[in-house]
Amino acid sequence: MSTQQAADGGGCFHCGLPLPPHGEFQQQIEGQRRHFCCLGCQSVCAAIYEAGLDGFYQRTPDGTLLAPPPEPPRDLALFDLDAVQEEFVRELGAEREINLLVEGIHCAACVWLIERRLGTLPGILRAQVNLANKRLLLRWDNRQVQLSTIIKRLADIGYTATPFDPESAEGAIKKQNRALLFRMAVAGFAMMNLMWISIALYSGADTADGGQFRPLFHGIGFALATLTLFYSGSPFLKGAWAGLRHRHLTMDLPIAIGASATYLYSTYVTFNPAISGEVYFDTVVNFLFVILIGRYLEAMSKRQAVASTQRLLDLQPRVATLLVGDDERVVPIRSVKAGETVLVRGGEKVPVDGVVISGQGEIDESMLSGESQPVRKGAGEPVCAGTVNLHGALTLRVTATLRNTSLGHIIALVEEAQASRAPIQCMADRIVPWFVVVTLLLATLTFLWWVRGDFELALLAATSVLIITCPCAFGLATPMSIAVATGLAARYGILVKNGAVLETLSHVTHVVFDKTGTLTSGQMQLQQLSAREPARAEELLRQAASVEHYSEHSIARAIVEAAREQGLPLSDITPEAFESQLGYGVQGVVEGRFILLGTLHWLRQHKTEIDEGLREEAWQLEEGAATVVHMAVDGEHVAILAIADQLRPDAPRLVQQLRAAGIRMTLLSGDRRRVAAAVAAQLGGMEVIAEVLPQDKDQAIAALQSRGEWVAMVGDGVNDAPALMRANVGIALGSGTDVSMESADIVLMGDELDKVRLATALSRRTLRTIRQNITLSLAYNAIMVPLAMMAFITPLVAAIAMPISSLLVIGNAARIRTLFKGLR
């Protein structure tokens, strides 16, 4: 911001508002005395310059006038109390994360200022501002910096931050929309009255009886237009002035120039009776009214298009029935703690995450998992907040509330994805700033061309060009599409952690599947035990189960479960010298016998002589897709155990559809090649990479990427986590481990493989919609701007046409919500 601009404006150096009569707020800024409207603006400006962040003033876009800083919250020390933070913080550990609702955010420059100012604080791990929702996602180390210090630092630069509460946030949005509605109502009132004045003027009333009524009609028009321009049109005027002060041309500037030029010319004609020109007060009022309608509809359309997050918030009940002894108390959900007991009757929403203590019921989990069939729940089974208990009464032990519930985590993921930026958005962001310069240049050329013949025509044509050129669709093209897509995905149990993932997934050329638990059900069962001495089969099973009892592998669980089903005693046997090597096998000493269980390679490592009969039988079993575990006792190869796993019912259909879409596939497994090849054959054939150790899975992904493939990895186990992170897109099944879901970019709630296809289809539809939206905006400007320059379009028609491009973009993005209806 230049000194001359501040001096000429006579306004506050920080916010631009008028200075108080006595001008007592002054401070030396970079060697020059600056004037401020209040102590808050003075302090904020000084803090910004002291921190070396004066670039904030050059980055203020979109023409929003800065406001004096809001009043900072009182009693900041309260925010450091764990009792207060536990309502808003996901986990009360050393590193904490919270969403703050920040008052005072106006534009992208505010985002820049907040993120960089907080970045200088020690202990700040992450500070990401969501401009659309005016929220700050903050992660900090509570050992190095307190939350009150962070909020105080925000207050120093002009922002008031409080922990995010959905109800207060919704109230703030409604307040903004109500103010916009009031401005629109005033403009509408003026437009309707000016319509009668215009009819009278067009019918010749200004020339009747010697023109004695002309001053009256023009004066009424002047009064109505003045009220409309300086009240209803004030956001455009303030935005344009703020942009000029901060050397940033915004789209409010062409609107302000067009309205002001038409108003000033009409005022000049009104107060100079000698001038016989026409007045255009009706044009000023009409196009401001239409533009305000467009902005209001745009705001409503945005809220409707991204309403999925609000619908998820609405799933959280506000109260719970707490059981204290024999008493039932209806209490606010914020007061419920983990470990307490709540009652959920039939027809009620589950208010917390918990475990069923008693009772049975059918739970509708469709809003979380996308699964339409109710799930029966009984004692010992988990239930999630936001689901509905259709029948029966359940008594639950609370395990998590509010943000710590599964619903809370889903909402956090969706909000984070909606705030993210896809790579294609960078192109639009580079184009938008040039729109204003081009608009002003075209309007000037239009005026200079037409003024040679008719000044009024030149003025109206130039005003039309100023109004009709609009880059808003470019700004909305990507974020609206991503917001709608991520919200829709969440409704169907597909959690997209980052909006950029949707663009990446649309480019995927190769999908890699883990075998066990992904393409197969993961519910392994002992199919057969073949022993060299059949009479010893039961004894060998008991010994094998005793060793495997200490392993967490799904194969181990199958062996232990088989022993229990046969009633074999395991509790009185404790193996000694137990050892497990991932990808190979286990060993231990049971009743003085050294037991080995695992692959042939594992047995050979321990100098075991392989029985050829058992090896031949194992070969045949593996050809039938069974996993074979070899067993040795005291160095003698004595038995094989065949473990069977069933394909998921929807796996063949998914593979067929991906193949039809031209996507290559690979089956990645640590199992023997014959087993993996048999599974691939059942699915119609695909590339097989087998006998891969867990630590080498990510290298298999890297090898595919080195061939130029865009790889998506689908897995569910702990050993899939490195591969999920290495892949261009990692997709984890919700039935998998916490580690795999943390490592993935997309989490599929439940275990429906078909959601992989839905996610892929959604990504391609989203990218196609973004490109369509950019094309719509280009086509709109390519058609309408030349028509306006040729004076074929009046300012009123321009005002009607301008919001159309934005509404088309919003409407086209909203069409993404119909995608799954045609695919399921």
Side-chain angles (χ1 to χ4, degrees):
M1 181 177 66
S2 69
T3 305
Q4 187 63 51
Q5 285 173 324
D8 291 344
C12 173
F13 184 73
H14 173 70
C15 73
L17 293 179
L19 296 174
H22 305 293
E24 63 267 25
F25 302 108
Q26 304 176 21
Q27 182 155 338
Q28 289 287 334
I29 301 291
E30 292 192 328
Q32 300 189 49
R33 183 164 297 279
R34 302 299 190 187
H35 301 269
F36 302 90
C37 66
C38 63
L39 181 61
C41 284
Q42 177 182 330
S43 303
V44 166
C45 184
I48 290 173
Y49 272 87
E50 287 171 7
L53 298 172
D54 50 295
F56 162 72
Y57 294 106
Q58 279 75 47
R59 287 174 169 82
T60 305
D62 298 332
T64 304
L65 186 65
L66 298 177
E71 189 73 20
R74 300 178 181 178
D75 301 324
L76 287 179
L78 291 176
F79 291 114
D80 295 332
L81 300 177
D82 286 351
V84 174
Q85 288 190 19
E86 66 181 357
E87 295 186 14
F88 307 101
V89 174
R90 296 177 185 175
E91 184 177 348
L92 290 175
E95 295 183 1
R96 304 183 178 186
E97 188 170 286
I98 192 172
N99 266 294
L100 297 176
L101 184 64
V102 184
E103 184 181 351
I105 292 180
H106 304 96
C107 57
C110 298
V111 175
W112 178 88
L113 177 62
I114 291 171
E115 292 180 351
R116 277 156 183 76
R117 184 58 168 157
L118 292 184
T120 63
L121 270 177
I124 297 296
L125 306 176
R126 182 184 185 188
Q128 180 178 344
V129 177
N130 184 331
L131 177 59
N133 296 325
K134 293 180 171 46
R135 293 183 212 163
L136 168 63
L137 177 61
L138 180 70
R139 187 170 181 82
W140 80 101
D141 189 331
N142 203 52
R143 297 166 297 187
Q144 297 185 48
V145 63
Q146 296 291 308
L147 183 59
S148 60
T149 304
I150 299 171
I151 296 176
K152 176 65 168 58
R153 183 63 63 93
L154 287 171
D156 290 343
I157 56 173
Y159 303 95
T160 294
T162 54
F164 171 66
D165 179 3
E167 293 181 2
S168 62
E170 185 69 11
I173 294 173
K174 289 181 178 178
K175 182 179 179 181
Q176 294 173 3
N177 290 338
R178 188 161 52 248
L180 182 58
L181 196 60
F182 285 157
R183 297 183 191 279
M184 188 173 68
V186 169
F189 168 80
M191 184 196 70
M192 287 186 289
N193 284 277
L194 262 177
M195 188 182 300
W196 296 108
I197 301 297
S198 300
I199 291 173
L201 291 174
Y202 292 151
S203 62
D206 57 337
T207 59
D209 297 327
Q212 60 177 331
F213 295 110
R214 184 175 186 268
L216 173 64
F217 287 131
H218 286 190
I220 295 174
F222 169 76
L224 292 172
T226 302
L227 173 65
T228 302
L229 180 63
F230 292 103
Y231 174 69
S232 300
S234 60
F236 308 112
L237 300 177
K238 291 178 180 178
W241 171 240
L244 289 174
R245 283 195 316 111
H246 299 140
R247 296 178 178 177
H248 188 96
L249 302 180
T250 71
M251 275 313 300
D252 283 336
L253 181 61
I255 296 174
I257 292 176
S260 300
T262 308
Y263 171 82
L264 291 174
Y265 174 74
S266 300
T267 301
Y268 174 73
V269 172
T270 297
F271 292 99
N272 286 274
I275 303 298
S276 60
E278 299 290 341
V279 295
Y280 297 96
F281 292 127
D282 56 336
T283 299
V284 176
V285 171
N286 289 351
F287 86 70
L288 283 177
F289 175 63
V290 172
I291 291 174
L292 287 170
I293 288 178
R295 292 208 170 179
Y296 182 77
L297 291 176
E298 186 177 317
M300 293 296 100
S301 298
K302 284 182 185 177
R303 287 192 62 200
Q304 179 66 26
V306 299
S308 295
T309 304
Q310 186 59 44
R311 283 195 292 269
L312 288 172
L313 290 170
D314 292 341
L315 290 176
Q316 174 63 63
R318 300 288 185 261
V319 297
T321 303
L322 186 66
L323 296 180
V324 182
D326 295 329
D327 295 335
E328 296 182 8
R329 301 177 187 173
V330 178
V331 298
I333 190 62
R334 293 184 186 278
S335 66
V336 179
K337 310 296 181 186
E340 293 182 329
T341 304
V342 299
L343 174 66
V344 183
R345 296 184 174 86
E348 294 181 348
K349 287 183 180 179
V350 179
V352 296
D353 277 8
V355 176
V356 179
I357 299 175
S358 62
Q360 289 190 341
E362 289 189 344
I363 303 295
D364 179 5
E365 299 181 340
S366 58
M367 286 303 292
L368 292 181
S369 67
E371 175 57 53
S372 60
Q373 292 297 321
V375 180
R376 190 155 189 82
K377 298 285 185 178
E381 295 185 283
V383 294
C384 297
T387 57
V388 180
N389 181 21
L390 299 177
H391 304 290
L394 298 174
T395 303
L396 310 178
R397 184 181 72 254
V398 179
T399 57
T401 62
L402 296 172
R403 295 182 178 274
N404 296 316
T405 64
S406 298
L407 175 62
H409 292 154
I410 291 171
I411 293 171
L413 285 174
V414 173
E415 289 180 338
E416 185 174 348
Q418 290 180 343
S420 61
R421 295 154 59 95
I424 196 172
Q425 188 170 351
C426 298
M427 179 191 71
D429 291 344
R430 288 194 297 268
I431 293 174
V432 168
W434 291 98
F435 259 78
V436 178
V437 175
V438 174
T439 299
L440 294 176
L441 178 62
L442 292 177
T444 302
L445 292 175
T446 302
F447 181 81
L448 294 175
W449 175 265
W450 290 105
V451 74
R452 295 175 298 177
D454 187 336
F455 176 84
E456 292 184 0
L457 179 61
L459 177 64
L460 293 179
T463 300
S464 297
V465 173
L466 289 170
I467 297 169
I468 207 164
T469 309
C470 180
C472 301
F474 276 104
L476 291 171
T478 298
M480 280 302 303
S481 299
I482 287 177
V484 174
T486 52
L488 174 69
R491 288 183 60 193
Y492 283 86
I494 303 170
L495 300 186
V496 181
K497 292 186 177 181
N498 191 307
V501 171
L502 288 171
E503 181 174 344
T504 307
L505 183 58
S506 69
H507 296 307
V508 162
T509 59
H510 205 116
V511 176
V512 177
F513 292 100
D514 174 53
K515 181 178 75 70
T516 304
T518 303
L519 290 175
T520 64
S521 65
Q523 302 298 319
M524 291 191 166
Q525 295 179 336
L526 179 62
Q527 185 182 51
Q528 178 181 332
L529 189 154
S530 296
R532 287 171 55 185
E533 301 177 27
R536 294 181 58 195
E538 189 172 290
E539 176 192 356
L540 293 174
L541 177 58
R542 182 173 62 85
Q543 292 172 340
S546 298
V547 177
E548 295 283 19
H549 184 66
Y550 285 82
S551 174
E552 296 180 353
H553 198 282
S554 57
I555 291 177
R557 290 196 297 268
I559 295 173
V560 172
E561 187 62 30
R564 285 175 176 163
E565 288 177 357
Q566 295 186 25
L568 301 179
L570 301 177
S571 58
D572 58 339
I573 302 176
T574 302
E576 301 172 6
F578 175 81
E579 182 183 326
S580 172
Q581 187 167 343
L582 206 59
Y584 290 101
V586 297
Q587 68 181 47
V589 177
V590 176
E591 299 173 335
R593 314 289 297 272
F594 181 64
I595 310 297
L596 285 173
L597 290 156
T599 65
L600 280 175
H601 182 72
W602 180 243
L603 267 61
R604 289 192 180 105
Q605 275 188 344
H606 291 80
K607 312 301 182 184
T608 302
E609 185 176 347
I610 304 303
D611 182 275
E612 289 300 323
L614 291 177
R615 187 172 68 170
E616 180 65 30
E617 186 176 356
W619 182 287
Q620 295 174 1
L621 289 168
E622 288 175 348
E623 290 286 347
T627 298
V628 176
V629 177
H630 294 264
M631 181 176 181
V633 178
D634 291 335
E636 182 183 0
H637 190 191
V638 296
I640 58 173
L641 296 88
I643 312 297
D645 193 8
Q646 300 296 318
L647 280 177
R648 292 185 186 271
D650 51 353
R653 179 167 176 258
L654 170 65
V655 171
Q656 180 184 0
Q657 290 171 335
L658 290 178
R659 186 179 292 114
I663 296 176
R664 292 176 289 279
M665 287 164 287
T666 293
L667 178 61
L668 183 64
S669 177
D671 214 334
R672 259 77 74 198
R673 173 167 293 279
R674 288 187 300 278
V675 177
V679 172
Q682 293 177 16
L683 293 170
M686 66 177 72
E687 182 181 352
V688 175
I689 303 176
E691 300 180 32
V692 180
L693 295 177
Q695 60 268 28
D696 296 333
K697 282 190 173 183
D698 67 318
Q699 295 304 316
I701 300 295
L704 289 172
Q705 291 172 327
S706 67
R707 288 161 29 188
E709 302 276 14
W710 286 63
V711 181
M713 170 71 189
V714 186
D716 75 323
V718 173
N719 58 0
D720 295 325
L724 289 169
M725 296 182 69
R726 172 78 67 175
N728 299 94
V729 179
I731 303 174
L733 298 186
S735 57
T737 64
D738 291 340
V739 175
S740 65
M741 286 189 280
E742 286 294 327
S743 305
D745 302 300
I746 297 175
V747 177
L748 309 180
M749 301 300 291
D751 56 3
E752 293 181 53
L753 267 182
D754 190 54
K755 289 177 181 175
V756 175
R757 177 182 64 91
L758 295 180
T760 304
L762 178 64
S763 70
R764 294 184 173 184
R765 174 66 172 271
T766 302
L767 188 63
R768 186 166 70 248
T769 300
I770 291 172
R771 289 170 174 164
Q772 288 173 349
N773 287 343
I774 292 176
T775 302
L776 281 172
S777 180
L778 287 172
Y780 162 83
N781 286 285
I783 295 171
M784 301 304 289
V785 173
L787 291 176
M789 293 181 69
M790 290 186 286
F792 290 162
I793 294 177
T794 66
L796 177 59
V797 174
I800 294 173
M802 190 190 74
I804 288 179
S805 61
S806 296
L807 293 174
L808 284 174
V809 164
I810 295 170
N812 193 42
R815 289 176 57 242
I816 294 175
R817 292 181 298 184
T818 66
L819 173 65
F820 289 168
K821 294 178 182 178
L823 293 178
R824 304 207 72 170

